[in-house]
């Protein structure tokens, strides 16, 4: 679907993960009865919520397929390219910081915003580049590799946001793209001002402006966040933990 091809939807296929579930049971030689009431969650918030009523709740970091990712090429361009990608629904989060993004565009003429979404709200950015998955000539992974900075704004303080793990955050980590993120949603391995900048709603201009000026800091965040993904989120790290959880009686 991301490459513009039609994929027939089958009930339960992408929402229930049934094929993967059956494959794991066969590989490990277990059944649903062996798993019992065990729950794995990818956010500390969910660990606290479900752990209060189920002692068999386990924290397991989220992992993504990284085969097609290209390591970041930051540092080879005159312009600073700032990227965001997401659904139209998540695009509403950008509206909450659009005045700060517009100020960045006004104050830093060498900044280019480049977003990927099938339908963006009006952000008032004159030089905004908008791409869509499946668009002719658009290579998502090549686009990722050309970013200097990624932004991941999820600013509403709802349980949904607190429980969410952002795919875009993990994709930026894999690609080695420095990030400004919200207090929630990002990987728990990221540390403010060591591997990213965590910004509250009124702090996005300050955070983006700082990293726009500091190429060395962007490079440092890029390298650190990619290393953290490989150390804590890669399949070879997560799968053995899952196996222990499922097999431990």
């Amino acid at each position: 679907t991301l490459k513009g091809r039609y994929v027939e939807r089958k009930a339960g296929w992408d929402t229930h993960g049934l094929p993967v579930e059956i494959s794991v049971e066969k590989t490990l030689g277990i059944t649903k009865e062996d798993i019992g009431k065990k729950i794995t969650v990818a956010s500390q918030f969910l660990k606290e919520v479900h752990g209060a009523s189920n002692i068999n709740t386990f924290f397991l970091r989220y992992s993504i397929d990284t085969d097609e990712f290209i390591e970041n090429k930051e540092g080879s361009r005159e312009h600073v390219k700032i990227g965001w990608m997401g659904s139209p629904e998540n695009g509403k989060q950008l509206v909450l910081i659009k005045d700060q993004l517009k100020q960045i565009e006004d104050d830093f003429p060498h900044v280019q915003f480049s977003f990927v979404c099938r339908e963006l709200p009006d952000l008032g950015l004159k030089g905004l580049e908008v791409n869509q998955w499946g668009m002719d000539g658009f290579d998502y992974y090549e686009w990722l590799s050309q970013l200097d900075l990624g932004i991941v704004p999820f600013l509403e303080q709802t349980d949904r946001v607190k429980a969410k793990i952002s795919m875009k955050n993990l994709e930026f980590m894999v690609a080695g793209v420095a990030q400004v993120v919200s207090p929630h949603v990002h990987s728990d391995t990221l540390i403010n001002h060591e591997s990213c900048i965590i910004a509250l709603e009124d702090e996005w201009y300050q955070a983006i402006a700082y990293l726009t000026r500091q190429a060395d800091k962007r490079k440092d965040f890029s390298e650190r966040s990619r290393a953290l993904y490989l150390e804590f989120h890669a399949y070879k790290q997560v799968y053995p933990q899952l196996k222990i959880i499922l097999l431990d009686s």
Side-chain angles (χ1 to χ4, degrees), residues 102-203:
K102 182 66 171 63
Q103 193 63 49
I104 289 289
E105 185 179 59
D106 292 341
D107 293 349
F108 298 92
H110 64 298
V111 162
Q112 180 187 24
F113 288 103
S114 181
F115 297 166
V116 180
C117 186
R118 67 178 181 272
E119 186 178 349
L120 269 174
D122 181 14
L123 300 173
L125 298 173
K126 297 178 182 178
L128 175 62
E129 175 187 79
V130 181
N131 301 289
Q132 295 184 18
W133 289 282
M135 185 172 64
D136 287 344
F138 176 64
D139 186 319
Y140 178 69
Y141 299 101
E142 182 68 24
W143 172 82
L144 264 179
S145 74
Q146 295 175 354
L147 297 178
D148 300 288
L149 180 62
I151 57 174
V152 188
F154 282 92
L155 302 166
E156 298 169 339
Q157 299 298 306
T158 63
D159 285 353
R160 174 184 176 273
V161 168
K162 293 176 182 178
K164 184 177 176 64
I165 295 296
S166 171
M167 286 280 289
K168 62 179 66 68
N169 168 238
L170 297 179
E171 290 179 339
F172 284 145
M173 291 177 72
V174 173
V177 179
Q179 297 181 65
V180 179
V181 301
S182 297
H184 302 289
V185 178
H186 60 81
S187 166
D188 68 296
T189 65
L190 295 178
I191 299 176
N192 193 23
H193 290 286
E194 289 189 13
S195 47
C196 71
I197 292 183
I198 299 174
L200 299 176
E201 186 170 340
D202 61 350
E203 297 174 342

Side-chain angles (χ1 to χ4, degrees), residues 90-106:
N90 289 337
K92 295 176 182 178
Q93 298 294 319
L94 293 170
V95 175
L96 301 176
I97 59 170
K98 70 175 186 177
D99 290 341
Q100 296 177 74
L101 299 181
K102 182 66 171 63
Q103 193 63 49
I104 289 289
E105 185 179 59
D106 292 341

